[in-house]
Amino acid sequence: MFFIGFSSFSQPSEAAAKHMVQEFFKAFHDQDSVKLKTFAFEKVQLKSIGKKENGKMVVNTDSYEKFVSSISSIPAEVNFEERLGNLTVNTDGYLANVWMPYEFYINNELSHCGVNNFQLIYIDKAWKILSIVDTRKKQACKD
C-alpha cells in the first residue's frame, strides 16, 4: 500500500501542468532567464499566428533560446505584463495541453491579445515545454 501511494506522487497531473505554466509566467515577468531555461524540453519552438494589415495570415517561428534572450534583455524602465485568463488543461498520460487567453501590456497600454497554447511532456518527474503557439491580434481583444 505504501508503494502504491508513493508512486502516485510521481505521476503527471493536470494540477502540476497548470502549476508549471504559472511558474513559467512568474519567471517570465521576473525576467529570470535561468529559471525560464529549466522549463524547456529539447529544441522548443515558439510560433505566433497573426494577420498582417492586408489581412494575410502569417506564422512566425522563433527558438526558445531567442525568446529567453529577448525577455531578459527588456530594459528595466519598460513595464511589461501578460495578463492571463483561465487556464484550461487537458492531459493524456505524458502529454498535456494548456490553453489560456491573454492580454499583453507594455507600460500599462494594451499591445495585443490572443491565446497561448502550451504543449507539455512529462519527463523526469516534471512537465516540460515541447512547444508554445500563440495568436496575436491588435483589435477585438474583448471579443
Side-chain angles (χ1 to χ4, degrees):
M1 192 71 147
F2 172 78
F3 292 110
I4 292 171
F6 184 76
S7 67
S8 68
F9 288 108
S10 66
Q11 297 299 312
S13 72
E14 288 182 13
K18 181 177 181 179
H19 179 72
M20 194 248 30
V21 171
Q22 291 168 328
E23 289 298 306
F24 166 89
F25 278 103
K26 182 179 183 311
F28 171 82
H29 288 114
D30 291 343
Q31 295 177 277
D32 186 342
S33 61
V34 174
K35 183 77 172 179
L36 284 169
K37 289 176 184 176
T38 68
F39 297 117
F41 188 61
E42 304 163 4
K43 300 179 184 171
V44 175
Q45 284 194 334
L46 285 75
K47 295 189 181 282
S48 292
I49 302 168
K51 286 187 178 180
K52 292 184 176 183
E53 288 185 20
N54 65 6
K56 183 178 177 183
M57 185 67 66
V58 63
V59 178
N60 294 313
T61 302
D62 278 315
S63 70
Y64 192 76
E65 293 79 18
K66 185 176 176 183
F67 162 76
V68 170
S69 177
S70 69
I71 294 304
S72 61
S73 67
I74 296 173
E77 62 272 8
V78 175
N79 177 15
F80 69 97
E81 179 185 12
E82 188 152 343
R83 298 178 189 170
L84 303 178
N86 290 331
L87 278 70
T88 302
V89 181
N90 292 300
T91 61
D92 184 19
Y94 297 95
L95 173 69
N97 180 310
V98 183
W99 173 283
M100 78 234 50
Y102 74 91
E103 293 178 335
F104 191 82
Y105 291 81
I106 298 175
N107 294 325
N108 298 316
E109 288 191 32
L110 181 63
S111 168
H112 61 277
C113 62
V115 172
N116 291 317
N117 184 346
F118 282 65
Q119 296 291 313
L120 309 177
I121 183 172
Y122 191 81
I123 189 163
D124 298 329
K125 299 181 182 179
W127 287 107
K128 299 287 182 178
I129 300 169
L130 280 171
S131 69
I132 303 172
V133 179
D134 68 61
T135 60
R136 295 184 185 186
K137 51 189 176 177
K138 298 265 185 192
Q139 291 105 10
C141 288
K142 298 296 181 188
D143 293 346

